[in-house]
Amino acid sequence: MLIRRKSDLTEADVTDPAWYARRREFLQGTAALLLAAGGLRPAQAGHGGRALQYRPRPDLAAKDALTDFSDVTTYNNFYEFGTDKASPAELAGRLTTDPWSVTIDGEVARPGTYALEDILKPHGLEERIYRLRCVERWSMVIPWIGFPLADLIRRFEPTSRAKYVEFTTLYRPEEMPGQRRAVLDWPYVEGLRMDEAMHPLTLLAVGLYGEVLPNQNGAPLRLVVPWKYGFKSIKSIVRIRFTEQMPQTTWHKAAPHEYGFYANVNPAVDHPRWSQKRERRIGEFRKRKTLPFNGYAEQVAHLYAGMDLRRFF
Amino acid sequence: MGLRHIDGLRVGVFTAALLPALWLGYAFFTDRLGANPFEALTRSSGEWTLRFLLLTLAMSPLREAFGWRWPLRLRRMFGLYAFFYGLLHLTTYLWFDQFFDWPEIGRDILKRPFITAGMGALLILAALAATSNQAMMRRLGRRWKPLHRLVYPAVVLAVLHHFWLVKADLRWPAIYGIIAAGLLGWRLYRRYRRRGSPVVVRA
Ligand code: HEM
């Protein structure tokens, strides 16, 4: 059994460097001071979700300040609930995430449709603090709870023909009103090359900020690939398929010259409509320089050795 | 504007048209614009620019269709408000998006069709705003009218700007685009009818 313990890195250690005063932070700060003066500690995280048991991984914790829980959970790109950032938080509440099952198929020794509990059972959960860089030039720092995708892949034993992993999001227009309009070619599909999927940084997440994922963040199971633009990190996964061919991913189909299969964060390769050199970290005023592979180059650049990253963007 | 232009209607509409800007300022400083307040400022000011531009264009058809006189008294004000919100919009881009990185801004204007179109629209609005008062009208005389017909290409550029900047959801660009097409189409239709008929009926 794992003992529930907050990460060694707490929000207090990583004070927001933004210089401009945000009222929300000011009020929170004042409240904390008042509590401290009264000899009280603020309650443990507690954002209303079911708390998870996990092991912190300080070695995989970005040193950046965490993005506010309220920002992480109200500013979402989840087109299944609408194309603006506020709709997912407003509309995702009605999504049924229990029961949930995941189909594993394609080039794999143990295909089948499994209840989420059975998918998760053997995996211990970890907390990892990752930067998330959206292709739209904003970024966040999020404490995810999850387990390496590689561990799950090994369990189901892909065959030697498996070169790619394809993921599919739930298609359920009754509960996902955004799917009633053909804004994208539903259901949402994403994919990774096998070596990317097996990389130790690639995470299957079930929670954030110590609790189960809020629906708008991709409950109950989502992918997190921290060195790629956010749209690769597919939400609310119902299918994991192993393929020999490169999957046809949704954004690539929608605009092939704007969104490639790889979608590695790369300040040197512009989106046709904007430069990717800088990004706005949510909660900050000044823009930051975007880092190659979102700052994970040391760990992942070798995966792309010899590839022309302008061509394979 | 001379004193004779000041009346209840204009004062009321002037004040109402200022409300979105006041609300944005208030919401910004009280942290009501969500996780990305800078993006919200750019988007909202852009939408208001487009709305006021379309309102400006709607005044003549309203007058014609219903025979009201008041729309023409508001037309210039709406046009100036379109320019005002356009300036706010541009400022949020220059400051919060680019932090006055001029080489980068120059590249953006040249390389990104949506920025090029927006810039074109705003430059036209600037020229029209600068020549919108009575003195300029008198000075330009017969050339004033053709100059101010540049508002039509400005609207076309503004709608293109909107179409080219969205990622996948074309609903709002399409809605504004249809309204713009209606307002421009009405003018074309009028011209065609006037040409076609033997008697020239002009307002
Ligand atoms: C008459 C002139 C203009 C009009 C009517 C206009 C209108 C708009 C509209 C309606 C939007 C979309 C808002 C939304 O998504 O909700 C927008 C966004 C934007 N506009 Fe403009 N605009 C104009 C000029 C400009 C200029 C001159 C620039 C910069 C040089 C500019 C830069 C932008 C940017 C950066 C965005 C945001 C794109 C994004 O959020 O992805 N616009 N504009």
Side-chain angles (χ1 to χ4, degrees):
Chain A
M1 261 288 281
L2 292 170
I3 315 276
R4 183 171 176 232
R5 190 161 71 84
K6 278 292 283 178
S7 157
D8 295 341
L9 264 186
T10 67
E11 284 172 87
D13 292 323
V14 279
T15 314
D16 194 327
W19 57 264
Y20 71 101
R22 292 185 69 179
R23 187 178 164 77
R24 194 191 296 151
E25 282 161 19
F26 172 75
L27 290 175
Q28 278 170 0
T30 314
L33 272 179
L34 286 174
L35 283 172
L40 299 168
R41 280 188 329 120
Q44 273 288 354
H47 296 290
R50 183 165 57 81
L52 292 165
Q53 301 200 317
Y54 58 87
R55 184 167 60 94
R57 288 285 303 265
D59 53 322
L60 293 174
K63 300 288 175 278
D64 313 42
L66 295 182
T67 303
D68 278 359
F69 176 85
S70 64
D71 289 342
V72 173
T73 55
T74 57
Y75 189 76
N76 306 101
N77 271 329
F78 197 171
Y79 276 27
E80 281 78 351
F81 294 100
T83 54
D84 64 294
K85 304 278 190 302
S87 292
E90 286 158 15
L91 302 174
R94 66 173 90 142
L95 177 68
T96 313
T97 56
D98 185 16
W100 192 273
S101 56
V102 179
T103 299
I104 298 195
D105 62 351
E107 300 292 345
V108 67
R110 300 172 51 207
T113 295
Y114 301 86
L116 182 65
E117 301 74 56
D118 298 328
I119 294 275
L120 301 180
K121 208 179 292 162
H123 302 285
L125 298 179
E126 304 178 348
E127 180 181 67
R128 301 179 174 198
I129 301 176
Y130 282 166
R131 289 177 290 275
L132 173 89
R133 167 63 156 82
C134 177
V135 72
E136 295 168 354
R137 293 179 299 176
W138 52 267
S139 62
M140 295 186 177
V141 183
I142 303 175
W144 299 107
I145 314 288
F147 59 93
L149 172 64
D151 291 353
L152 177 125
I153 291 179
R154 280 193 207 97
R155 250 174 86 203
F156 291 92
E157 302 166 24
T159 71
S160 61
R161 281 212 294 272
K163 302 281 188 297
Y164 296 91
V165 193
E166 180 190 279
F167 305 85
T168 308
T169 295
L170 176 72
Y171 178 71
R172 193 184 284 160
E174 315 88 82
E175 292 184 354
M176 297 176 132
Q179 291 177 332
R180 291 176 213 155
R181 292 174 54 222
V183 175
L184 291 172
D185 185 6
W186 311 116
Y188 193 85
V189 170
E190 257 308 333
L192 295 173
R193 218 168 54 187
M194 205 60 183
D195 57 344
E196 298 175 324
M198 294 299 290
H199 192 279
L201 283 178
T202 305
L203 195 72
L204 271 178
V206 296
L208 57 80
Y209 267 101
E211 301 177 359
V212 291
L213 283 171
N215 288 354
Q216 62 270 32
N217 293 89
L221 183 70
R222 68 168 290 166
L223 188 66
V224 180
V225 193
W227 71 92
K228 291 178 180 282
Y229 292 120
F231 68 88
K232 294 296 291 182
S233 293
I234 185 172
K235 303 185 176 86
S236 304
I237 297 167
V238 291
R239 186 175 182 196
I240 300 176
R241 192 162 78 95
F242 295 86
T243 65
E244 202 167 359
Q245 307 294 327
M246 182 183 277
Q248 281 295 308
T249 55
T250 300
W251 275 107
H252 179 67
K253 276 194 285 183
H257 55 291
E258 298 193 345
Y259 310 100
F261 174 80
Y262 287 95
N264 293 317
V265 175
N266 189 345
V269 177
D270 287 359
H271 184 283
R273 284 179 286 152
W274 54 80
S275 153
Q276 295 288 24
K277 278 187 213 133
R278 295 200 178 87
E279 69 200 47
R280 168 161 285 119
R281 180 67 52 80
I282 295 301
E284 292 182 1
F285 177 56
R286 275 272 168 191
K287 289 203 168 180
R288 292 172 171 250
K289 284 207 160 86
T290 289
L291 303 172
F293 298 105
N294 202 19
Y296 299 95
E298 218 174 286
Q299 293 96 315
V300 302
H302 68 273
L303 297 176
Y304 311 100
M307 275 175 69
D308 178 358
L309 296 179
R310 286 188 175 276
R311 222 183 119 212
F312 299 101
F313 57 86
Chain B
M1 272 201 209
L3 260 185
R4 67 201 164 85
H5 293 290
I6 299 188
D7 56 61
L9 176 73
R10 262 196 261 240
V11 170
V13 173
F14 179 90
T15 313
L18 208 52
L19 291 180
L22 293 177
W23 187 85
L24 274 179
Y26 168 77
F28 181 76
F29 287 108
T30 53
D31 195 13
R32 275 158 219 259
L33 291 179
N36 197 346
F38 308 104
E39 177 192 72
L41 285 182
T42 301
R43 296 205 164 166
S44 186
S45 58
E47 281 165 22
W48 282 108
T49 308
L50 189 50
R51 286 177 196 141
F52 278 108
L53 207 46
L54 294 176
L55 267 178
T56 313
L57 246 61
M59 292 303 110
S60 305
L62 274 183
R63 160 158 173 55
E64 295 269 328
F66 301 102
W68 298 329
R69 290 198 54 79
W70 59 263
L72 290 193
R73 304 213 321 267
L74 298 177
R75 191 170 55 180
R76 171 166 55 188
M77 193 199 296
F78 283 146
L80 287 170
Y81 261 115
F83 180 59
F84 167 71
Y85 281 97
L87 270 187
L88 275 184
H89 184 59
L90 176 69
T91 307
T92 65
Y93 164 82
L94 295 177
W95 189 359
F96 307 142
D97 219 7
Q98 299 290 4
F99 290 89
F100 306 108
D101 179 346
W102 299 108
E104 191 64 37
I105 291 165
R107 270 195 293 278
D108 243 13
I109 294 175
L110 295 178
K111 267 172 72 176
R112 328 259 178 226
F114 95 90
I115 298 278
T116 318
M119 210 60 211
L122 197 62
L123 284 178
I124 292 177
L125 293 192
L128 303 192
T131 55
S132 65
N133 59 14
Q134 299 284 349
M136 286 307 284
M137 272 179 104
R138 263 195 302 275
R139 254 179 68 184
L140 287 168
R142 290 163 60 85
R143 286 170 305 165
W144 190 88
K145 214 165 181 157
L147 176 67
H148 278 248
R149 289 215 179 94
L150 284 177
V151 72
Y152 307 141
V155 171
V156 173
L157 287 172
V159 168
L160 281 178
H161 170 71
H162 201 188
F163 260 103
W164 287 338
L165 70 85
V166 296
K167 265 170 73 196
D169 188 354
L170 294 174
R171 176 162 51 174
W172 282 104
I175 290 172
Y176 287 123
I178 287 168
I179 296 172
L183 293 171
L184 295 177
W186 177 84
R187 286 169 167 85
L188 278 177
Y189 172 72
R190 284 283 322 270
R191 253 180 83 160
Y192 164 82
R193 272 237 327 235
R194 237 185 281 142
R195 284 232 185 101
S197 63
V199 189
V200 177
V201 213
R202 292 223 49 188

